Amino acid sequence: MPRKIISLFLLFSFVILFVGCTKYAKQEEIQQLNNLKAEVEQLEKEIKAKEQEKASLQNEISQRDQKLKELQSEKEKVQQRLQQLK
Amino acid sequence: MKRNLILIFSFLIFVSSIFAQEVRMKYEDWQREMASWTAKRDELRGRLDALNSEIDALKKQLADKDAQIKQVQDDIYALVGTTPEGVNEYRQKVADFERRLNELSRLSNEELYERRAEVENLYNDYQALKSDKRVALSEFYDKVMGFESQVNNLINTVKALVKTKEGQVVVAEAIVKETTYTVGTWKKDRDCLWNIAKKPTIYDNPFLWPKIWIANRDKIKDPDLIYPGWVLKIPPKAELSKEERRAANSYYRKKAEKAAGGM
């Protein structure tokens, strides 16, 4: 029985030693990583907003193209009608 | 016994490693994570810069399009010699004209007869609207041109309205469109070309008798001779044409010569 307890104690000590010898990141380093993750998250949001802005601008440009086309056609029609009205 | 020890050992390793992962991060893992997130951040920064450049270019493109639109719009206004305010003014005129046209179109013949001066003004206003260069704009062209038949119908109807001796307002159909008239007897109807043209429902003007003569040349060889039962064509009311005037003059001349010869 005491042998068993000693074995267990040794085993436990070994485990603690094993875990305690591993090198871990410091608190500031963890904070640095968290800041980096937050920055990435912020950048992703900004990119999403910019992509929406880009899509909206492209849409506006296509509307302007359509309007320009209509106005050019209107100009031609006005010229023809003025000829007819003379 | 040995087996139990191995089990306990494994359990302890497992528990301690979980504990360490939850609370603390291995330095190697931190380094790996940092490298991965830094790369991601750099890539996102690059994308953001590219997007900003694209957006700037699109904004410039949009401004260029706006300038082009304004230029073409100005060209159109210059063609019809107007400004946006001028277009608004013409739009108001057209709306006002349409309202008056619809109002007059709903009137009964009696009311129209009373307000014939307004119809004539409306007709003149229509000519002015139509001759305005602004009518060439698509916003107005079809609409204003579409008024034409309505305006013409109205003015023709008003011109065709006559007031009988009894004070009734009737449409002289012959004035609106070509129609026919069946000649009655002299004894009963006193029908001759002069009297037929004089009827309020025909021309209400005896001097237009040559119109009936010329329109029925196949039947009427001598305008003094028409026969009961003849169905005469009655052309729409209008001024005498050159041919009709010439025919009338020739008739009056021959009549005068005959009278002079007889004396």
Side-chain angles (χ1 to χ4, degrees):
Chain A
M1 184 67 181
R3 234 180 102 192
K4 199 176 173 184
I5 291 168
I6 290 166
S7 302
L8 276 173
F9 177 75
L10 284 175
L11 204 61
F12 186 73
S13 307
F14 171 77
V15 168
I16 295 295
L17 197 71
F18 172 77
V19 173
C21 283
T22 313
K23 193 180 177 190
Y24 291 101
K26 291 175 195 155
Q27 197 53 44
E28 309 89 72
E29 287 166 336
I30 297 287
Q31 187 58 44
Q32 196 186 346
L33 180 62
N34 287 340
N35 290 346
L36 191 57
K37 284 179 182 174
E39 193 184 349
V40 166
E41 200 177 321
Q42 183 59 31
L43 281 168
E44 277 171 343
K45 278 183 192 165
E46 276 182 50
I47 284 173
K48 203 172 173 186
K50 292 286 176 187
E51 273 169 352
Q52 281 174 352
E53 189 182 352
K54 182 183 158 187
S56 157
L57 281 167
Q58 282 171 329
N59 186 32
E60 278 186 62
I61 287 173
S62 70
Q63 283 175 2
R64 297 293 200 285
D65 278 337
Q66 181 62 28
K67 189 171 182 187
L68 193 59
K69 210 173 160 186
E70 284 169 10
L71 280 172
Q72 272 156 350
S73 149
E74 167 74 355
K75 187 177 164 185
E76 281 168 25
K77 281 183 192 167
V78 167
Q79 282 169 327
Q80 285 169 4
R81 287 173 189 149
L82 288 171
Q83 285 295 321
Q84 285 169 8
L85 291 170
K86 268 182 189 172
Chain B
M1 176 68 184
K2 231 177 193 178
R3 212 177 62 186
N4 283 347
L5 279 176
I6 289 168
L7 277 173
I8 293 166
F9 179 72
S10 307
F11 176 73
L12 283 172
I13 290 206
F14 176 74
V15 167
S16 55
S17 63
I18 295 268
F19 176 75
Q21 271 176 10
E22 275 184 359
V23 179
R24 302 169 77 186
M25 181 183 227
K26 279 186 194 167
Y27 188 73
E28 283 171 12
D29 291 344
W30 176 83
Q31 275 184 317
R32 214 173 24 250
E33 287 270 301
M34 279 299 283
S36 152
W37 285 94
T38 305
K40 196 168 181 183
R41 181 200 60 192
D42 293 345
E43 187 218 324
L44 291 176
R45 277 182 179 168
R47 265 175 71 191
L48 190 63
D49 288 345
L51 273 171
N52 279 331
S53 308
E54 282 177 51
I55 285 170
D56 288 345
L58 288 172
K59 280 181 179 167
K60 191 180 172 302
Q61 211 180 331
L62 192 63
D64 289 347
K65 296 274 173 203
D66 281 340
Q68 283 176 35
I69 286 171
K70 191 178 178 310
Q71 183 59 53
V72 180
Q73 191 99 57
D74 289 348
D75 289 350
I76 294 172
Y77 285 144
L79 278 172
V80 294
T82 192
T83 59
E85 293 75 32
V87 172
N88 283 340
E89 184 214 4
Y90 190 75
R91 188 179 295 122
Q92 187 58 46
K93 275 188 182 179
V94 171
D96 185 47
F97 178 85
E98 189 176 20
R99 185 187 53 72
R100 286 163 58 211
L101 178 62
N102 289 336
E103 188 192 331
L104 289 170
S105 299
R106 281 194 293 269
L107 296 181
S108 65
N109 284 347
E110 284 78 11
E111 290 167 322
L112 260 185
Y113 187 79
E114 294 307 318
R115 293 170 69 174
R116 55 192 187 279
E118 270 181 67
V119 175
E120 271 161 29
N121 283 341
L122 188 88
Y123 180 78
N124 293 335
D125 289 348
Y126 179 66
Q127 301 308 321
L129 270 188
K130 221 172 67 168
S131 58
D132 193 308
K133 276 184 171 182
R134 287 174 288 189
V135 77
L137 296 172
S138 292
E139 181 187 347
F140 307 118
Y141 190 76
D142 290 338
K143 192 171 199 178
V144 172
M145 294 304 167
F147 291 151
E148 185 146 25
S149 62
Q150 213 180 338
V151 171
N152 286 341
N153 281 343
L154 203 58
I155 194 82
N156 285 337
T157 305
V158 165
K159 281 182 183 168
L161 290 176
V162 287
K163 209 167 194 172
T164 60
K165 283 173 193 166
E166 295 79 31
Q168 266 189 325
V169 176
V170 293
V171 181
E173 288 294 336
I175 299 165
V176 182
K177 57 182 186 215
E178 186 174 281
T179 183
T180 54
Y181 178 82
T182 307
V183 181
T185 58
W186 176 253
K187 196 175 173 184
K188 189 181 161 213
D189 305 300
R190 298 274 156 190
D191 272 353
C192 63
L193 293 182
W194 177 273
N195 286 344
I196 293 170
K198 199 170 120 183
K199 287 179 189 286
T201 53
I202 304 292
Y203 294 147
D204 199 26
N205 181 358
F207 293 97
L208 292 182
W209 69 266
K211 289 191 97 55
I212 306 173
W213 176 27
I214 299 302
N216 297 278
R217 264 249 155 106
D218 53 328
K219 286 195 185 81
I220 307 170
K221 307 296 173 203
D222 178 354
D224 288 331
L225 282 175
I226 57 172
Y227 294 97
W230 274 5
V231 179
L232 300 180
K233 284 182 273 186
I234 309 292
K237 185 177 183 178
E239 302 249 315
L240 290 179
S241 67
K242 271 185 189 170
E243 186 195 357
E244 289 159 354
R245 258 202 308 274
R246 212 178 302 123
N249 290 339
S250 156
Y251 167 82
Y252 288 129
R253 210 170 27 250
K254 278 182 191 162
K255 195 106 174 151
E257 280 166 11
K258 217 172 177 180
M263 279 171 79

